[in-house]
Amino acid sequence: MLTSLYIKNYALIDELSVQFNNGLTIITGETGAGKSILLGGLSLVLGKRADISQVKNKDEKCIIEAIFDIANYNLKSLFKSLDLDYDVQTIIRREILPSGKSRAFINDTPVNLESLAALSNYLIDIHSQHQTQQVTQDDYQFQVIDALAENKSNLNDFAKELVEYKAIQKSLEELKLSKAELIKEYDYNLFLSKELNEIDIENINLEDLEAQYEELNNVEEIGEKLSSAKAILSAEDIGITDQLNSVKLELIKIADYGNAYDALKERILSVGIELDDILIELDNLEENLSSDPQELERINSKLQVINNLFQKHSVLDIEELVVIKNDLRLKIDNTESLDNTILLNEKHVLKQQEKLNKIALEIHENRKKVIPVFVSKLESILSDLGMPNAKFKIELNQIDYFVSNGKDDLQFLFTANKGSSFNALKKSASGGELSRIMLAVKSILAEYVQLPSIMFDEIDTGVSGEISNKMGDIMKKMSGKMQVFTITHLPQIAAKGNSHFKVFKTDVEDVTHTQLRKLNEEERIVEIAQMLGGIDITDSAMAHAKQLLN
């Protein structure tokens, strides 16, 4: 509940400090006295955007501070999620600086307006004439029915499962799109992979292959050169081998005459051995040398294929082709296995749909059970509020797709007169009727859930007499379970309050100021008497005021 409100340098308010109690609090005042200023200041502390034009003295900062007792609101988890220090006496403060910038604090911790609004939803509901239209909106109508149906746990479960369902659906859609793209490339990738597989790319040694090609392509020249080299080495009398033997014999003769000569002899002997080996190798090469046009053609074709693949894939070596081959295989495998993945995801989607359908059905059945009870209570209250012929028909129909709160379509249909057909509430109820409907709805809700403090801003507009008395009774009853404020012009309602505040203006040195004062018993009698008969108070008005208060 709101326990105190402090306002400084806001609109026509210099400085104002007021404490509030539980129960029904009445706020009265003449038109234009500044009740809207009070609401504006309270709205700022609840998260409304600030405006420098609202500051009275532009050279000083504006401060609005509210203290709430939240011991019974179960808000510890909310404070934790907002990373705020929890205190049963929670202080919210807004400041508007002369620069036009504004700041917000919860328990002295700076917060943004989103966090402030998130908390304020649980603290106080300012119900203006504009907000009466809320009762015609689908979201609010669902909130009312679900509160009575105690669907909170089911709705939380549904929301959690719906998030997972949407994530799976999105994944499935992405897989199907991927499949469509991959199928376009599949045949081409398969063709490229087949090309690389046909030449067994991993087992090719390009250097060896090129050497084999050069040998086969030049076999005749190689044979001639080998034969010529053999002749040069082994020809009689003039061959290198014979000449070397002659040198070797001469050096053997002088080898004993010194180390230098012996070393030359050894070197010649080594050269002789090497030349003998070379002759043997030349014989072997010449003997094994053969012409093979078919093998030459095969190797030539293979080299052409490899070079073509180099050009096609813009690479320079076999290793890069192997990488490309592996990538192609992976793409092909992914395409071929995608159907299985899609099938698994489709099964997952169906399983999630079953979960959601089960929870949605429970939500639907709970709603279905409470609607007749709600309609009965609503019509009974409206009858007391001067709408004896008001009838409601609430249609709850299951739909074949998921929405954020289940699988239902909900319509509030209304008629205010006998013999008239039902129509959508937003089209068939007048402003005054909507005000009474909203009051009736709030009073019913107060029986089922812990509502935050509520402030009714002239919800009694357009009613009088016995109806206003009934409205006061309803608000009085609500105040037994929650803190209720009402701004009113009706004495019948004002007399119902546990406490009574008056908003008024004073002129000091040609400057108008708005003030708020709690009335004592005598002041309250006078205020209600003025509400009954005007500024000139009569004895009968005073007697009537006392009677209402008693």
Side-chain angles (χ1 to χ4, degrees):
M1 62 175 259
L2 176 64
T3 60
S4 71
L5 180 65
Y6 175 78
I7 301 176
K8 181 179 180 181
N9 195 31
Y10 177 74
L12 298 179
I13 298 174
D14 286 324
E15 189 169 18
L16 174 72
S17 181
V18 60
Q19 280 70 46
F20 299 108
N21 298 319
N22 212 335
L24 177 60
T25 298
I26 303 296
I27 300 174
T28 60
E30 295 179 3
T31 301
K35 297 186 292 295
S36 61
I37 294 174
L38 186 66
L39 287 179
L42 189 56
S43 296
L44 272 176
V45 88
L46 296 175
K48 180 183 175 184
R49 293 204 170 273
D51 184 349
I52 188 64
S53 66
Q54 297 166 323
V55 178
K56 186 175 185 182
N57 183 346
K58 301 296 189 294
D59 296 326
E60 297 180 6
K61 71 179 176 181
C62 164
I63 300 173
I64 300 116
E65 184 174 279
I67 301 177
F68 293 88
D69 183 344
I70 61 170
N72 298 323
Y73 284 32
N74 298 318
L75 295 179
K76 286 184 178 179
S77 60
L78 177 64
F79 273 72
K80 185 176 181 180
S81 69
L82 296 174
D83 197 22
L84 294 171
D85 293 329
Y86 176 81
D87 195 318
V88 293
Q89 295 294 319
T90 285
I91 302 171
I92 301 179
R93 186 171 76 255
R94 284 293 296 279
E95 296 179 356
I96 306 175
L97 306 179
S99 64
K101 292 182 179 180
S102 74
R103 300 183 297 186
F105 303 86
I106 297 176
N107 293 333
D108 287 329
T109 300
V111 294
N112 56 34
L113 293 189
E114 288 75 15
S115 297
L116 190 56
L119 175 60
S120 68
N121 287 333
Y122 294 91
L123 301 180
I124 189 164
D125 175 11
I126 298 179
H127 182 81
S128 65
Q129 294 179 40
H130 169 72
Q131 286 174 306
T132 297
Q133 293 294 327
Q134 188 180 40
V135 77
T136 68
Q137 297 169 1
D138 293 344
D139 288 348
Y140 185 76
Q141 292 172 359
F142 269 114
Q143 288 173 25
V144 171
I145 298 300
D146 285 326
L148 272 62
E150 298 181 347
N151 267 334
K152 183 177 180 181
S153 177
N154 280 333
L155 288 169
N156 287 339
D157 291 343
F158 185 86
K160 178 183 173 183
E161 299 296 343
L162 187 62
V163 168
E164 184 174 350
Y165 172 72
K166 288 182 176 178
I168 301 166
Q169 260 196 332
K170 183 180 179 183
S171 175
L172 180 59
E173 289 169 4
E174 289 173 350
L175 282 171
K176 288 180 177 179
L177 286 173
S178 296
K179 179 182 176 182
E181 291 298 318
L182 287 171
I183 285 174
K184 293 177 184 177
E185 302 174 4
Y186 178 74
D187 289 339
Y188 184 58
N189 288 338
L190 202 60
F191 169 73
L192 293 178
S193 179
K194 187 178 179 182
E195 277 188 330
L196 293 171
N197 285 328
E198 284 177 348
I199 62 168
D200 193 17
I201 197 73
E202 290 92 347
N203 296 316
I204 289 177
N205 186 315
L206 190 58
E207 290 184 0
D208 288 348
L209 202 61
E210 289 173 339
Q212 291 176 43
Y213 172 79
E214 291 299 326
E215 180 178 346
L216 288 170
N217 194 43
N218 298 283
V219 65
E220 292 183 3
E221 182 181 355
I222 292 171
E224 291 175 1
K225 299 304 179 185
L226 288 174
S227 179
S228 176
K230 282 172 60 181
I232 292 170
L233 285 172
S234 59
E236 283 189 33
D237 298 332
I238 60 171
I240 292 175
T241 302
D242 283 351
Q243 295 294 325
L244 190 62
N245 285 332
S246 298
V247 173
K248 180 172 63 175
L249 291 173
E250 295 300 325
L251 290 176
I252 288 172
K253 293 176 182 177
I254 61 172
D256 294 334
Y257 298 156
N259 291 335
Y261 309 117
D262 187 57
L264 280 174
K265 178 202 74 173
E266 292 299 327
R267 288 172 68 186
I268 286 295
L269 290 174
S270 295
V271 170
I273 293 169
E274 182 66 20
L275 279 178
D276 289 341
D277 285 342
I278 289 171
L279 273 171
I280 293 169
E281 183 67 21
L282 287 172
D283 280 335
N284 291 335
L285 288 173
E286 187 176 30
E287 184 178 342
N288 293 325
L289 188 64
S290 63
S291 176
D292 191 341
Q294 290 182 338
E295 179 66 7
L296 176 62
E297 179 59 29
R298 187 190 69 79
I299 293 174
N300 183 48
S301 296
K302 196 167 189 177
L303 286 171
Q304 285 182 347
V305 169
I306 292 170
N307 286 324
N308 289 338
L309 289 172
F310 282 174
Q311 290 181 346
K312 179 181 287 188
H313 295 286
S314 300
V315 297
L316 299 174
D317 55 45
I318 294 293
E319 288 74 15
E320 289 179 280
L321 277 182
V322 171
V323 171
I324 289 171
K325 178 186 174 182
N326 292 335
D327 287 343
L328 287 169
R329 185 68 259 167
L330 186 62
K331 289 179 180 178
I332 292 165
D333 290 343
N334 286 341
T335 305
E336 292 173 347
S337 65
L338 205 54
D339 283 338
N340 288 332
T341 307
I342 289 172
L343 184 61
L344 288 173
N345 274 263
E346 286 174 339
K347 288 180 179 178
H348 198 176
V349 167
L350 289 174
K351 186 177 179 181
Q352 199 65 20
Q353 282 178 340
E354 289 176 5
K355 285 185 183 179
L356 286 168
N357 281 325
K358 183 180 178 182
I359 301 171
L361 183 60
E362 291 179 12
I363 292 170
H364 173 82
E365 292 300 325
N366 290 342
R367 288 168 176 167
K368 190 176 177 181
K369 288 176 186 176
V370 301
I371 284 174
V373 178
F374 174 65
V375 168
S376 177
K377 289 188 176 187
L378 191 55
E379 290 177 350
S380 176
I381 295 171
L382 291 176
S383 180
D384 289 341
L385 293 178
M387 299 170 63
N389 298 319
K391 296 295 177 185
F392 268 87
K393 183 192 290 184
I394 298 180
E395 294 185 347
L396 182 72
N397 297 308
Q398 290 180 293
I399 54 180
D400 58 1
Y401 54 90
F402 298 120
V403 290
S404 62
N405 61 357
K407 290 184 71 175
D408 287 334
D409 176 64
L410 182 70
Q411 288 194 66
F412 276 37
L413 304 177
F414 173 74
T415 177
N417 304 301
K418 284 184 177 181
S420 298
S421 59
F422 284 95
N423 206 343
L425 181 60
K426 66 177 71 175
K427 296 179 180 178
S428 55
S430 66
E433 289 168 341
L434 283 176
S435 293
R436 282 177 269 181
I437 291 169
M438 177 57 93
L439 177 60
V441 169
K442 293 280 187 181
S443 68
I444 295 170
L445 275 176
E447 298 177 20
Y448 290 85
V449 293
Q450 176 64 56
L451 295 175
S453 299
I454 188 167
M455 181 172 285
F456 291 111
D457 179 17
E458 299 184 2
I459 196 171
D460 50 26
T461 299
V463 300
S464 59
E466 184 57 27
I467 297 173
S468 63
N469 193 49
K470 293 287 186 180
M471 292 184 83
D473 287 339
I474 290 172
M475 286 185 270
K476 182 72 173 177
K477 183 179 178 183
M478 290 175 66
S479 71
K481 296 185 176 181
M482 58 188 292
Q483 185 184 38
V484 179
F485 296 87
T486 182
I487 297 172
T488 182
H489 289 293
L490 298 180
Q492 294 89 343
I493 292 177
K496 306 282 184 183
N498 300 101
S499 55
H500 189 153
F501 290 83
K502 181 175 181 177
V503 180
F504 59 96
K505 287 181 180 178
T506 58
D507 293 329
V508 179
E509 297 179 355
D510 296 327
V511 177
T512 301
H513 306 270
T514 288
Q515 298 183 36
L516 177 71
R517 186 176 76 246
K518 185 176 183 180
L519 303 181
N520 60 31
E521 190 67 22
E522 289 300 318
E523 291 171 331
R524 195 172 178 192
I525 293 171
V526 172
E527 175 69 8
I528 293 175
Q530 287 181 334
M531 294 172 74
L532 285 164
I535 194 167
D536 296 324
I537 302 174
T538 63
D539 290 341
S540 62
M542 288 289 287
H544 193 185
K546 290 178 182 179
Q547 184 182 6
L548 286 173
L549 283 168
N550 289 330

